[in-house]
Amino acid sequence: MLKNYYAATLRGMIKNRLFTFVNISGLSIGLALGIIFLLFVKNELQYDRFHPNLSAIHTIMVNDTRENIIYTGQASTPALASAIRGGLPEADHVARIANGGDQLLGIGDKSTYENGLYAEPDFFNIFQFPVIAGNPVAALSDPGSIVITSRTARKFFGTDDAIGKIFQHNRARSLKVGAVIKDIPDNSNFRFDVMLPYRLIELQTPGISDRWNYNAMQTYITLKPHVNLDVFNAKLKKLVGTRYGNCTPFAYPFADSHLYNRFKNGQPAGGRIQIVQFTVIIGIFVLLLACINFMNLATARSAQRAKEVGVRKTLGATRRQIMTQFFTESVAMAFSGLIAGILLAKLSLPAMNQLLRTHLEMDLSDWKLWLFMIGLTFFTGLTAGSYPAFFLSAFRPVKVLKGPIFQSRSGGLLRKCLVTFQFMISIFLIISTLVIFRQQQYIQQLPLGYDAENLIDIPTRGNMAGQYDAMREAFLQIPGVTQVSAGNDNLVRYNGATNDLVWPGKTEDQNFMVSISQVQYDWVKTAGLSLVEGRDFSRDFGDTTGCILNETAVRKMGLKPPVTGTMLGNNMVIGVVKDFSFNDPFDTPAPLAVYLNTGTLNHIFVRLVNDGQWQQQVKQLEAAFKKTAPGYPFEFHFTSEAQERRFDGVRSTWHMISVIGTLAILISCLGLLGLAAFMAEKRTREIGIRKVFGASITRLWLMLSGELLKPVLLAFLLASPLAAWAMHLLLRNLDHHAPLSWWMFLIAGVLSVAIALLTVSYQGVKAAMTNPADSLKAE
């Protein structure tokens, strides 16, 4: 019996080539996108799952109450780890981690920058990364040792056998390789190539581990078995007391920190899990679009299949057997689409990885992946074939064999509803794409508050900063270099913050966090900032105890003009700069206090004139750099490039929705093309008669096209308010957002109608130009 079903299915697919092409094309696109989304969801759900003790690991989060709003983050004070270690025996292991950024490692003449972290020895008791050689816990206990990944070992030595090898670290000290671990998996929230002992930070900054007013680290713990998390957090709150100001620390399961990483007013409020849910919903909708194509074309061809059903029933076939045949056809179509879908997914995966900023791989030897793909295909096939199977198998032999079957009004209404639903999804995605693109443009066009163009950022390493004065003098001798300064942060991101500042008139409810940074002389001029009041740090004045505030800090502190001369703790305010964008470009700038530091800083800033000669000037900067800091690789980037990278997330979202919207439109148009062909075929004789009576090609084209455009116009009217509501919810959480404009909806409507019109026009014009003699000769 099954053999007969498959034979009939194959004959039907060959006979109705357009029907087959439209369905397999739609199903293959839908399944390809479904496979990619399946890989994405699988990757997201497996983040950090390779740690065998994952359930015991917790991140110390901090609730910071400011102006009756609770802000939650992972940055914590160094003193917190010592307090937990000494006062809460329920914590089995405790480790502080500090971001090290790029670390200069060298052996002989070979030097490269590697991404590094500073951590306490317990880090490798908490996070059990696979070890290749050595003891990472013991290595981090020794300030003269280092832990490296297999990739770093192979990069320098060509082998993992690197135990005992000596690195020059930042040209300042020698560090011995104490352990080699396997490369960090792509689905890990930690990314590093080298792990440095936290003890180095303590040696460089004595007393830092006792500070309660410096939120610049992360703290991780493991809890002993059977410890109640709520009870532990209550004890932690009591232990800290008032030493942490308005901040309240709490332990949060590390297993949840990737997917549930967003907090609102101190409570978990989703995060990346919403992206996963959105991906699943979009994947289902795209597959549903492909299934709707199948349903539409199957019911449209019901008149042709009616006699087949009648004959089969007359010869003794039961309704169940006929339903099985139709389900077999739809599943066969789906598996044909799966083959093409796998090929499409494989070919498009590199582009999608770049788009989604992921490292997805399709391992066709993974039986679990095949199980998911086959299950997805069966689901798609059965969904697509469900309505045709129930609808067509219900035909009664007496009626279908008695004469021609005319389409019922309900069948035509169902097809219009399905087409409307298809284009509703497509138009919704088009509007979403336009809104997100406009929001991206809007944010990027907002004034930065400083001149990011022609500003070069040169990171400093090791004792390089000790050569700053000589380097500055050398740089200023280069034609086209107008200003040179330095800073602890790169203007785009400020990592340090404190709530321990004191100013005249400070009240208890003003215990908010203030971003802090340290800079060299001429920082305001070099960065291109605008002064509201006062002046820049200047060698003419010394300014060793001066500081500069931004407008937000002045406003939140309640300082009245003139602000200059006000004492901020032991530092006198010498200037106020206009607010400029840093950290989150979508939010208003945080309060910022900047202090003078003529010692070690992380970034050297060089301002170039805008004369188009930057390539020649960079070569001269490199030559001057190598003379003053021999042995260090010359590394630089433009601040404008770092500024652009802040929009990578929203840009990726826009690209992803654009791709999905394009595919949704394509699938919808495939179905529309099939329906147009069916309608033209069904009305061939009507068209012939109309032409005989003088109907023009234009009139016939309008007649055929107009009927199919009505559902598209209805879809636009239904999708527009839905999209407006959804985009309003998306934008209202942003401090800076573009307004929703009528032209976004107009473009979406015109675009969808134009695409639909182009899709149906070919069949409409072809039918209108048919010779009446050919269409009427059978009469």
Side-chain angles (χ1 to χ4, degrees):
M1 182 65 72
L2 286 175
K3 182 179 178 182
N4 290 335
Y5 291 159
Y6 286 121
T9 298
L10 184 60
R11 285 196 301 271
M13 290 170 67
I14 294 172
K15 181 180 179 182
N16 300 282
R17 288 184 291 274
L18 179 61
F19 170 81
T20 304
F21 169 77
V22 168
N23 276 315
I24 292 180
S25 297
L27 290 171
S28 63
I29 294 171
L31 287 169
L33 202 58
I35 291 169
I36 291 173
F37 284 176
L38 185 69
L39 294 173
F40 174 76
V41 171
K42 177 186 173 186
N43 182 67
E44 290 293 315
L45 295 179
Q46 288 183 340
Y47 251 77
D48 296 310
R49 302 292 163 180
F50 54 86
H51 294 295
N53 61 333
L54 182 64
S55 60
I57 303 174
H58 292 74
T59 306
I60 298 298
M61 307 289 289
V62 177
N63 280 334
D64 178 17
T65 304
R66 290 178 257 153
E67 299 173 333
N68 297 322
I69 300 176
I70 301 176
Y71 298 90
T72 306
Q74 288 190 16
S76 59
T77 179
L80 186 58
S82 301
I84 295 173
R85 195 178 284 120
L88 292 174
E90 295 93 338
D92 200 9
H93 299 289
V94 183
R96 286 173 280 221
I97 299 174
N99 180 30
D102 289 339
Q103 300 291 320
L104 180 64
L105 296 184
I107 292 182
D109 296 332
K110 185 176 183 179
S111 297
T112 64
Y113 291 115
E114 304 295 335
N115 184 30
L117 293 175
Y118 290 90
E120 291 187 293
D122 262 350
F123 176 85
F124 285 107
N125 285 324
I126 297 173
F127 300 100
Q128 298 176 11
F129 291 98
V131 178
I132 296 175
N135 185 336
V137 177
L140 292 185
S141 302
D142 179 6
S145 293
I146 189 174
V147 179
I148 63 175
T149 62
S150 175
R151 188 196 70 82
T152 305
R154 293 192 306 272
K155 184 176 181 178
F156 279 93
F157 312 110
T159 175
D160 292 332
D161 185 14
I163 299 297
K165 302 290 185 181
I166 305 296
F167 279 109
Q168 282 295 311
H169 174 232
N170 286 342
R171 298 282 176 181
R173 64 184 63 85
S174 297
L175 294 177
K176 178 179 64 176
V177 177
V180 179
I181 63 174
K182 286 188 177 181
D183 290 337
I184 308 302
D186 291 327
N187 58 348
S188 169
N189 273 306
F190 288 104
R191 310 300 310 164
F192 62 90
D193 298 308
V194 297
M195 183 66 77
L196 301 159
Y198 174 80
R199 181 70 180 136
L200 289 175
I201 295 180
E202 293 182 315
L203 292 174
Q204 292 169 6
T205 313
I208 190 172
S209 295
D210 299 324
R211 292 180 61 178
W212 282 96
N213 63 344
Y214 182 62
N215 284 323
M217 297 186 183
Q218 295 178 10
T219 308
Y220 296 90
I221 65 172
T222 54
L223 294 180
K224 292 179 179 178
H226 311 301
V227 173
N228 184 285
L229 185 59
D230 292 333
V231 173
F232 177 84
N233 283 330
K235 289 184 178 180
L236 176 59
K237 182 179 180 180
K238 184 178 180 181
L239 173 71
V240 171
T242 59
R243 288 181 290 178
Y244 209 176
N246 287 347
C247 296
T248 304
F250 63 97
Y252 187 68
F254 181 70
D256 294 339
S257 61
H258 178 70
L259 292 176
Y260 301 90
N261 56 356
R262 181 171 171 266
F263 286 75
K264 187 174 183 180
N265 208 27
Q267 298 298 321
R272 287 192 68 86
I273 188 63
Q274 293 169 314
I275 297 176
V276 173
Q277 293 167 343
F278 174 76
T279 302
V280 171
I281 292 170
I282 290 295
I284 291 173
F285 271 124
V286 171
L287 279 177
L288 193 57
L289 292 180
C291 294
I292 288 173
N293 280 354
F294 192 99
M295 295 179 189
N296 259 339
L297 294 178
T299 51
R301 294 175 62 246
S302 58
Q304 289 92 323
R305 303 295 300 270
K307 289 186 178 178
E308 175 191 341
V309 172
V311 170
R312 285 182 177 274
K313 281 192 170 183
T314 302
L315 295 176
T318 63
R319 185 180 183 187
R320 177 178 294 180
Q321 289 174 325
I322 293 173
M323 287 174 65
T324 303
Q325 178 191 343
F326 285 120
F327 275 124
T328 302
E329 289 181 7
S330 62
V331 171
M333 287 275 192
F335 272 95
S336 300
L338 176 64
I339 297 171
I342 291 174
L343 182 61
L344 281 174
K346 194 78 173 175
L347 292 174
S348 59
L349 205 53
M352 292 299 288
N353 274 330
Q354 187 175 3
L355 191 68
L356 300 173
R357 301 192 175 277
T358 55
H359 300 86
L360 306 180
E361 294 180 356
M362 185 186 295
D363 182 9
L364 294 179
S365 63
D366 184 359
W367 65 270
K368 292 181 181 178
L369 177 61
W370 278 105
L371 189 64
F372 275 118
M373 289 194 301
I374 290 172
L376 185 66
T377 306
F378 262 113
F379 170 79
T380 304
L382 293 176
T383 302
S386 57
Y387 183 79
F390 288 107
F391 177 73
L392 296 175
S393 64
F395 284 147
R396 297 175 61 186
V398 175
K399 293 185 98 176
V400 299
L401 296 178
K402 189 175 183 181
I405 295 293
F406 295 99
Q407 298 286 323
S408 67
R409 178 170 297 183
S410 59
L413 180 62
L414 174 67
R415 284 196 300 278
K416 290 178 181 177
C417 290
L418 293 175
V419 170
T420 302
F421 178 72
Q422 280 185 313
F423 273 90
M424 271 186 67
I425 296 175
S426 302
I427 293 168
F428 180 91
L429 291 172
I430 291 173
I431 294 172
S432 302
T433 302
L434 291 171
V435 171
I436 293 174
F437 175 69
R438 178 69 188 99
Q439 174 64 17
Q440 176 192 325
Q441 279 192 321
Y442 178 81
I443 293 296
Q444 288 182 290
Q445 290 169 358
L446 286 174
L448 284 178
Y450 65 93
D451 186 5
E453 296 298 325
N454 304 300
L455 181 62
I456 286 181
D457 178 358
I458 303 174
T460 61
R461 319 290 179 185
N463 60 5
M464 186 196 302
Q467 306 297 320
Y468 170 74
D469 288 333
M471 202 176 296
R472 174 180 175 273
E473 291 301 322
F475 286 168
L476 287 173
Q477 300 303 314
I478 298 172
V481 174
T482 60
Q483 296 288 342
V484 178
S485 186
N488 225 30
D489 301 281
N490 67 350
L491 291 176
V492 174
R493 177 159 293 280
Y494 288 79
N495 295 310
T498 182
N499 62 350
D500 200 36
L501 297 180
V502 178
W503 58 87
K506 181 179 180 180
T507 59
E508 290 185 3
D509 63 342
Q510 287 182 310
N511 196 22
F512 50 82
M513 298 298 292
V514 178
S515 297
I516 57 173
S517 187
Q518 296 174 328
V519 301
Q520 264 281 5
Y521 294 114
D522 302 321
W523 174 69
V524 173
K525 294 176 187 175
T526 307
L529 294 161
S530 298
L531 280 166
V532 177
E533 184 182 334
R535 58 177 175 81
D536 196 356
F537 292 113
S538 172
R539 287 174 175 78
D540 298 334
F541 294 89
D543 294 331
T544 54
T545 59
C547 71
I548 295 175
L549 302 177
N550 69 347
E551 290 177 300
T552 300
V554 171
R555 185 171 57 255
K556 296 194 74 171
M557 291 175 182
L559 303 179
K560 303 298 181 183
V563 179
T564 52
T566 303
M567 296 302 295
L568 201 65
N570 296 322
N571 299 87
M572 184 175 70
V573 179
I574 65 168
V576 178
V577 294
K578 283 188 177 181
D579 281 340
F580 62 97
S581 177
F582 63 90
N583 290 355
D584 189 348
F586 300 98
D587 288 336
T588 54
L592 175 67
V594 182
Y595 300 88
L596 181 70
N597 180 357
T598 57
T600 302
L601 294 172
N602 298 328
H603 302 268
I604 296 175
F605 305 120
V606 180
R607 168 70 63 188
L608 304 179
V609 294
N610 187 16
D611 59 2
Q613 303 297 317
W614 68 268
Q615 291 175 320
Q616 181 181 349
Q617 291 158 357
V618 166
K619 288 180 181 178
Q620 292 175 303
L621 286 171
E622 182 177 6
F625 175 90
K626 288 183 176 178
K627 283 183 181 179
T628 53
Y632 288 94
F634 179 68
E635 180 189 11
F636 80 96
H637 62 261
F638 283 95
T639 299
S640 56
E641 294 173 352
Q643 172 70 21
E644 278 295 308
R645 284 194 292 272
R646 297 201 296 169
F647 301 99
D648 284 347
V650 68
R651 196 177 289 117
S652 296
T653 303
W654 173 61
H655 285 312
M656 184 179 73
I657 294 180
S658 299
V659 169
I660 295 170
T662 302
L663 293 177
I665 281 282
L666 180 58
I667 293 172
S668 301
C669 289
L670 282 171
L672 208 57
L673 178 66
L675 282 177
F678 162 75
M679 285 184 60
E681 180 184 349
K682 187 179 77 169
R683 302 178 71 171
T684 299
R685 290 183 177 84
E686 176 190 347
I687 292 168
I689 293 170
R690 287 181 179 272
K691 288 195 74 172
V692 169
F693 281 97
S696 66
I697 293 176
T698 303
R699 188 177 184 83
L700 293 172
W701 170 75
L702 287 172
M703 178 190 73
L704 293 171
S705 301
E707 187 171 341
L708 287 172
L709 286 179
K710 288 177 184 176
V712 179
L713 293 171
L714 179 60
F716 170 71
L717 294 176
L718 294 174
S720 293
L722 184 64
W725 173 74
M727 292 301 101
H728 171 72
L729 292 180
L730 175 70
L731 295 175
R732 72 176 183 180
N733 294 321
L734 304 176
D735 287 348
H736 304 296
H737 62 81
L740 289 175
S741 302
W742 60 269
W743 60 263
M744 301 176 184
F745 300 90
L746 180 63
I747 289 176
V750 171
L751 190 62
S752 57
V753 170
I755 292 172
L757 198 60
L758 287 172
T759 302
V760 301
S761 287
Y762 171 74
Q763 290 294 338
V765 172
K766 180 182 175 183
M769 294 182 68
T770 303
N771 190 336
D774 295 332
S775 57
L776 296 175
K777 63 183 179 181
E779 292 298 321

